Amino acid sequence: MIQIHGISKSFGNVVALQDINIEVQEGEIFGLIGPDGSGKTTLIRILTTLLLPDSGTATVMGLDVVKEYKNLRRVFGYMPGRFSLYEDLTVEENLELFASIFGTTVEANYHLIEDIYKQIEPFKSRRAGKLSGGMKQKLALSCAMIHQPKVIFLDEPTTGVDPVSRQEFWKMLKSLKKHGISIFVSTPYMDEASLCDRIALIQDGKLLSIDTPTAIVGQYEKEVYAIVSNKKHELLQDLRRYKDVESAFLFGSHIHYSDQKVSFDPRELIQYLEQLGHGEIEVDKIEPTIEDCFLALMGNANKTADA
Amino acid sequence: MQTRQPMPNEYSIDVQNLTKKFGAFTAVNEISFNTKKGEIFGFLGANGAGKSTAMKMLCGLLVPSSGQATVASFDINKESEKVKKRIGYMSQKFSLYQDLTARENIRFFGGIYGLSNKQIKEKTDELMERLHLTDFANTQVGDLPLGWKQKLAFSVAVFHGPEIVFLDEPTGGVDPVTRREFWEMIYATAKLGTTIFVTTHYMDESEYCDRVSIMVDGRIEALGSPKELKAKYHVKSMDELFLQLARPETVKIF
């Protein structure tokens, strides 16, 4: 559905993308996961024919993003990161405009957007600029879907959105997947990784890893321990000073700790912490999260860069 | 148990029945809470719950419809100009001038807050070193990576030694490593006695706070330490609690 081969892009001295290779299958939810400035938007703009790559090739639905951009623009859906509908048109007018641009009607494809659109239909005569953030999102997705695209690009649809609205948005994506639509979505939220079929982790324009979320977690080499004590603020520093520490990172109420030694004995660590005055210490072995993997991969990437 | 009247100045922020109405719409509905010196206070809520409106009132930028609040012991109704001098503020959207260099931004904000040129100069060099920014001191802020920008913005917000610093989604979009470094800066600042008032959409970050409040439809629905709140509502994580309070009918899918 989407094929990306060796795509690179620089802006002046800044390398935005470096040798990106990705294949996205039909009907897949593919997540591009990385922080701001990692290259997510640049890649999506290249795939949506809005930006030319410096080198490499990419096709979407078999159409080349550079040579066949005119044909390609008719067939994909795109929801940019910034709200880009007409704020002084009503909800209904925006939707009709998008349908007519693509030579179709709202009625012809209503079944595709019904689940999403019916939530904002009561406000259909309201100007788009007067909608709440969550409603704007639903309208933007409806407009991106109205010409029945087979593949849709969503650039950070959930950034700055509260956890509740993020969940609702992902539910909408799951329902679109049922219609056989391939979804290419970027996000800075690591916890959204598990909702994708496959993900690529991106940092500084380079892919750190690309696989299913389960496989990426499976490749994590170290054991991860969640540690908590009654001296929350000191715990992190004390763990980082421990003789065999590999890494220690804040993770909500706990600190995720990995040890250099395979033969790590938690009892030894507990003793060390007790000597430093910690009490109520708990050390539990846990499954690493995608964020643990991202942190470890980022660490490796920096080590290679320094070497 | 006898309730004790707080001494003047005991609370860095003390809010009683604070309300803001826009026409018929009540954005903030009689909220009451207080924060202690050096406390990290997480101010949570869904988009549109009233967080920004409440924060604007506390920063002296918006006049309340009713209710009282003192910030750094100054009345936000009567002494909003004094409040502004004693607080720091940063948000993801506005923090620094992108077309000024790091050094120029510091000088500008230091000057606004009435620091002398000598003070600014001394503190700037120290700050640049601490942030490992010395080589980039003369780079336009717009050309710095986001993570550095946010760390610099935070440093600028606390440069004049405010009693309270307001952080509005300071870590949105920042990479996981920098996000944690940012919180370590927050811890260090709180330890020196500055109160941190912070909003975030990352629920794992709410666990880093000493206490949090969760706003729903203009009211404070829950208030306490993350540990207390999780125990009270029988949930495992703050994420779960947030979803339960903010939109009870939403089924958890993460």
Side-chain angles (χ1 to χ4, degrees):
Chain A
M1 190 51 68
I2 303 173
Q3 305 230 340
I4 306 170
H5 297 296
I7 289 277
S8 295
K9 177 76 187 177
S10 294
F11 299 102
N13 294 327
V14 181
V15 181
L17 292 174
Q18 206 177 325
D19 193 23
I20 303 294
N21 294 286
I22 296 174
E23 283 187 20
V24 178
Q25 311 301 322
E26 199 174 334
E28 193 170 49
I29 299 187
F30 189 91
L32 186 62
I33 296 174
D36 281 8
S38 55
K40 302 188 299 295
T41 297
T42 303
L43 183 58
I44 288 185
R45 287 196 179 146
I46 289 172
L47 296 175
T48 51
T49 79
L50 299 173
L51 204 59
L52 295 171
D54 295 339
S55 57
T57 57
T59 61
V60 175
M61 300 173 67
L63 297 169
D64 188 284
V65 297
V66 178
K67 293 180 204 130
E68 296 168 285
Y69 75 93
K70 277 191 179 165
N71 292 332
L72 183 51
R73 282 181 184 180
R74 296 203 186 106
V75 293
F76 64 74
Y78 172 44
M79 184 172 155
R82 279 182 62 169
F83 184 67
S84 52
L85 301 178
Y86 292 92
E87 304 220 344
D88 47 0
L89 293 186
T90 65
V91 167
E92 200 174 27
E93 285 166 345
N94 265 294
L95 194 60
E96 277 165 6
L97 175 69
F98 274 81
S100 68
I101 286 175
F102 286 101
T104 181
T105 59
V106 174
E107 294 73 38
N109 295 312
Y110 188 75
H111 64 283
L112 254 183
I113 60 161
E114 188 178 358
D115 287 351
I116 305 158
Y117 188 69
K118 72 179 177 207
Q119 300 175 46
I120 48 171
E121 214 160 16
F123 312 99
K124 66 182 180 187
S125 349
R126 193 180 285 190
R127 286 180 192 212
K130 299 278 179 205
L131 295 176
S132 73
M135 289 200 279
K136 278 183 180 170
Q137 226 186 10
K138 286 172 188 140
L139 178 60
L141 186 58
S142 300
C143 288
M145 292 295 305
I146 196 63
H147 60 298
Q148 210 174 348
K150 285 271 180 296
V151 51
I152 169 164
F153 295 93
L154 308 168
D155 193 5
E156 297 202 29
T158 55
T159 292
V161 172
D162 68 68
V164 177
S165 306
R166 283 208 285 139
Q167 295 230 346
E168 288 180 350
F169 195 81
W170 275 93
K171 273 199 206 159
M172 293 192 278
L173 293 191
K174 294 265 174 201
S175 77
L176 288 179
K177 189 186 139 108
K178 284 189 205 131
H179 292 283
I181 293 158
S182 311
I183 300 170
F184 191 96
V185 54
S186 69
T187 177
Y189 294 103
M190 304 282 153
D191 59 356
E192 292 178 357
S194 61
L195 303 171
C196 303
D197 297 314
R198 285 193 312 135
I199 54 172
L201 302 179
I202 186 169
Q203 167 78 6
D204 290 337
K206 281 176 273 187
L207 292 189
L208 299 172
S209 187
I210 173 167
D211 215 322
T212 63
T214 325
I216 287 181
V217 168
Q219 285 153 17
Y220 192 85
E221 288 161 2
K222 303 278 177 187
E223 290 184 336
V224 180
Y225 292 85
I227 302 183
V228 65
S229 85
N230 60 358
K231 284 168 75 182
K232 196 170 149 191
H233 293 204
E234 287 83 9
L235 183 61
L236 180 67
Q237 296 311 327
D238 289 341
L239 285 172
R240 287 203 172 142
R241 285 191 210 104
Y242 187 57
K243 58 184 171 58
D244 296 324
V245 62
E246 168 75 24
S247 65
F249 289 111
L250 283 168
F251 266 85
S253 53
H254 291 69
I255 287 168
H256 286 190
Y257 173 86
S258 287
D259 200 89
Q260 287 173 4
K261 283 205 220 145
V262 187
S263 60
F264 170 63
D265 183 357
R267 281 172 301 184
E268 212 179 314
L269 179 67
I270 291 171
Q271 213 170 39
Y272 160 81
L273 290 173
E274 278 171 351
Q275 276 165 9
L276 292 169
H278 290 267
E280 299 165 42
I281 304 164
E282 287 173 38
V283 179
D284 295 305
K285 187 166 174 260
I286 54 157
E287 279 285 307
T289 65
I290 288 289
E291 194 155 346
D292 286 299
C293 300
F294 198 98
L295 286 164
L297 290 164
M298 262 182 88
N300 291 344
N302 290 340
K303 268 179 216 159
T304 324
D306 291 343
Chain B
M1 202 171 66
Q2 204 182 357
T3 38
R4 189 171 53 98
Q5 280 300 310
M7 298 295 287
N9 303 337
E10 188 183 359
Y11 296 125
S12 44
I13 303 175
D14 194 358
V15 179
Q16 271 155 21
N17 303 321
L18 197 64
T19 299
K20 181 71 191 179
K21 291 182 180 167
F22 297 107
F25 176 68
T26 307
V28 174
N29 197 351
E30 299 204 350
I31 62 169
S32 301
F33 67 92
N34 54 53
T35 64
K36 289 178 211 75
K37 218 174 159 227
E39 183 171 14
I40 304 176
F41 189 82
F43 199 57
L44 312 179
N47 297 344
K51 298 192 302 287
S52 299
T53 305
M55 202 146 158
K56 276 184 193 155
M57 288 192 279
L58 296 178
C59 292
L61 299 173
L62 197 62
V63 181
S65 305
S66 61
Q68 316 280 325
T70 60
V71 172
S73 307
F74 293 114
D75 186 329
I76 62 163
N77 282 305
K78 297 181 202 128
E79 301 168 297
S80 63
E81 289 312 307
K82 285 180 181 156
V83 166
K84 285 177 199 166
K85 284 187 187 145
R86 297 307 309 140
I87 62 171
Y89 175 81
M90 90 165 260
S91 79
Q92 198 192 355
K93 290 185 193 96
F94 173 79
S95 39
L96 300 170
Y97 287 97
Q98 306 292 312
D99 49 358
L100 295 183
T101 67
R103 194 179 284 281
E104 285 165 346
N105 264 294
I106 295 173
R107 207 172 81 203
F108 177 77
F109 284 102
I112 281 189
Y113 283 111
L115 272 66
S116 72
N117 283 340
K118 188 165 168 271
Q119 281 174 312
I120 293 173
K121 203 182 166 329
E122 282 170 9
K123 284 183 80 175
T124 303
D125 293 333
E126 184 229 298
L127 178 62
M128 288 290 138
E129 208 155 295
R130 186 149 45 87
L131 294 178
H132 308 293
L133 264 177
T134 309
D135 292 346
F136 300 92
N138 299 317
T139 305
Q140 283 196 2
V141 164
D143 294 334
L144 293 175
L146 178 78
W148 295 15
K149 243 186 255 181
Q150 295 304 81
K151 282 196 255 178
L152 179 63
F154 177 74
S155 305
V156 168
V158 297
F159 196 71
H160 58 294
E163 282 168 57
I164 300 125
V165 59
F166 291 87
L167 307 173
D168 196 0
E169 287 179 44
T171 57
V174 173
D175 73 69
V177 171
T178 313
R179 203 149 70 80
R180 288 172 172 80
E181 288 171 357
F182 194 94
W183 273 94
E184 285 169 37
M185 287 177 77
I186 290 181
Y187 278 163
T189 308
K191 227 174 190 172
L192 298 174
T194 304
T195 301
I196 313 281
F197 187 93
V198 58
T199 73
T200 178
H201 284 323
Y202 292 98
M203 285 304 118
D204 60 339
E205 292 188 345
S206 68
E207 301 268 11
Y208 307 159
C209 301
D210 296 315
R211 281 188 309 147
V212 300
S213 70
I214 300 182
M215 261 185 104
V216 180
D217 296 335
R219 289 179 173 278
I220 289 183
E221 208 50 60
L223 176 70
S225 74
K227 206 173 170 179
E228 285 164 9
L229 291 179
K230 281 184 286 182
K232 185 175 167 193
Y233 291 90
H234 310 287
V235 291
K236 285 198 194 73
S237 69
M238 289 302 286
D239 202 33
E240 229 176 287
L241 174 62
F242 187 88
L243 293 171
Q244 197 182 102
L245 291 177
R247 200 94 39 105
E249 70 274 21
T250 307
V251 183
K252 189 172 160 60
I253 59 167
F254 283 103

